[in-house]
Amino acid sequence: MGHTSAASCAGPDAVAVDFFGRPAATTALVATLALRTGAPIVPVFALPDGIAVTTDRAETWQRKENGLPARGKYTQAIKVDRTTAGRVLAGCESGIYLTEDGAANWRRVLPTSTTVDDIQQSPHNPRHWVAVTQSDGAWSSEDGGRTWAKFAGVPSAEALYNIAFDATKPGRLAIGSWTHGVLTSEDGGTTWRDIYHCARMVTTGTVQVPAMLVGGTHRWVWTIAGTTPSFTFTITETQVNEAVTV
């Protein structure tokens, strides 16, 4: 069981595999799982209105949506469990759904009121999963995605688009958001800090430099009067909460 995407097939870590007698590519983790378990690599595709699977070289596709709602099954994110064949988590507009039998059956393990934008599995502990949503905050699971708990200290009002583990340091997480910039945690999500987002510009063009950025040179993107970011520039902070005029 695997999922395919342009990134997984074209990236530097792509692994060539036999896909029903034809050459194909997948990621190293999925290929390793297939070799260890003997499970076939079966593409699972997220659709605007559900999930589809092919088992015949993409000649035909079957919707595999038993357990998904009639409405609310738009699927934004889909992630294969790298350690257990047949387990996949899907992020839909109504929550996170889990299958443990190769997409034959799904069940909702986290209800949400808005779309789940991203789901990731920890490279350090395969039972640890995390997810972010449009306006329901960020979530964590310690039991393979069966139950979820909301991260405290992460904003919920605006969209969170991506979440990632640091493969080199257990406990370090990062969340990407247009509104909130980049949020990071060094303790597995217990506490968070905003490392690349500064106070909004006021009409005078003056901002307060966050203390955590003192002593470095950083690139900033400003939003002027609510418009999209229009330019970047580099400044060097020399004093905690120094007023910087641009």
Side-chain angles (χ1 to χ4, degrees), residues 72 74 90-97 108-116 119:
Y74 163 76
C92 302
E93 61 183 307
S94 57
I96 296 177
Y97 292 80
R108 188 164 67 169
V109 291
L110 175 66
T112 62
S113 59
T114 56
T115 301
V116 177
I119 304 173

Side-chain angles (χ1 to χ4, degrees), residues 23-107:
T26 187
T27 63
L29 288 174
V30 172
T32 300
L33 177 60
L35 289 172
R36 288 178 177 175
T37 64
I41 297 174
V42 179
V44 180
F45 281 81
L47 301 175
D49 60 345
I51 295 172
V53 175
T54 180
T55 58
D56 58 3
R57 302 190 297 268
E59 294 291 337
T60 62
W61 292 85
Q62 291 182 310
R63 287 185 175 273
K64 294 289 188 178
E65 299 173 352
N66 185 41
L68 298 182
R71 295 182 61 86
K73 60 184 177 180
Y74 163 76
T75 306
Q76 173 71 18
I78 195 161
K79 195 74 173 180
V80 174
D81 187 327
R82 71 176 189 275
T83 63
T84 307
R87 294 190 88 247
V88 183
L89 279 84
C92 302
E93 61 183 307
S94 57
I96 296 177
Y97 292 80
L98 169 66
T99 178
E100 299 185 277
D101 54 12
N105 298 281
W106 298 86
R107 70 178 188 275

Side-chain angles (χ1 to χ4, degrees), residues 1 13 35 47 52 54 80 83 118 120 137-138 146 154 162 175 185:
M1 172 68 68
D13 63 340
L35 289 172
L47 301 175
T54 180
V80 174
T83 63
D118 194 18
Q120 295 295 329
R146 291 184 174 88
V154 177
N162 300 101
I175 293 175
S185 174

Side-chain angles (χ1 to χ4, degrees), residues 161-177:
Y161 294 114
N162 300 101
I163 188 166
F165 291 92
D166 186 333
T168 67
K169 185 176 181 180
R172 176 179 287 167
L173 293 160
I175 293 175
S177 167

